[in-house]
Amino acid sequence: MPSLFSKIVSGEIPAVKIYEDDHTLAFLDIAPASRGHTLVIPKDEYADLYAMPPELLADVSTTVQKVALALRDTLAPDGMNIVQNNGSAAGQTVFHYHVHVIPRWEGDGVFGAWRTQQPGQDELRALAEQLRAIL
Ligand code: AMP
């Protein structure tokens, strides 16, 4: 069954679109975290970052930059968050890869600072070794 966002691509579900090209689409989030909150998606359906072909990731990134520039020039926010969730534990609710472009204003309270951990150097080095072995 096509994802919610595939239905937006096909026109089956309406959306407030702001940009599209051959491979990507940008539309306003229906429940924005801030004014201008936009989603950028590949037109083809991939569940998440892990499934995305690298060249399509590049296409989406190019559209994310275009949208961020347009939001910056239109709304003059103080900052811009680019957010991308993978898996329900990370807050993903729509399993069609998408990138949130979220304009930010000083003191808007949209996101707080995240809690940080204090790993020792040994722990960091051991983890880096595991990752380098794969990369
Ligand atoms: P995520 O939690 O990263 O999966 O984000 C899904 C996003 O899709 C949320 O910010 C929703 O508000 C947004 N959303 C869900 N349905 C629609 C829709 N029909 N049109 C626009 N945005 C939507």
Side-chain angles (χ1 to χ4, degrees):
M1 199 174 101
S3 73
L4 177 68
F5 291 168
S6 287
K7 290 180 181 173
I8 287 175
V9 171
S10 69
E12 194 180 327
I13 289 178
V16 183
K17 298 175 184 176
I18 61 169
Y19 175 82
E20 71 180 300
D21 57 27
D22 287 350
H23 302 295
T24 70
L25 173 67
F27 53 95
L28 298 182
D29 197 294
I30 203 168
S34 70
R35 182 164 157 78
H37 181 172
T38 299
L39 300 176
V40 180
I41 65 169
K43 288 184 170 175
D44 288 343
E45 185 176 331
Y46 295 93
D48 52 29
L49 175 71
Y50 312 120
M52 281 286 282
E55 60 280 6
L56 193 52
L57 277 177
D59 291 337
V60 171
S61 289
T62 299
T63 300
V64 165
Q65 187 189 41
K66 280 187 209 292
V67 166
L69 287 166
L71 288 167
R72 183 195 66 178
D73 294 349
T74 305
L75 299 176
D78 300 318
M80 191 80 64
N81 282 117
I82 306 303
V83 177
Q84 199 275 308
N85 301 326
N86 298 282
S88 46
Q92 186 177 14
T93 59
V94 178
F95 291 84
H96 179 140
Y97 179 83
H98 54 281
V99 177
H100 297 259
V101 185
I102 306 175
R104 296 294 308 277
W105 284 268
E106 296 293 348
D108 64 13
V110 169
F111 299 114
W114 53 60
R115 271 182 303 151
T116 58
Q117 304 179 352
Q118 306 296 324
Q121 283 295 308
D122 288 350
E123 191 179 334
L124 291 180
R125 288 206 182 90
L127 176 57
E129 196 144 323
Q130 282 182 284
L131 294 170
R132 280 195 297 264
I134 292 173
L135 291 166

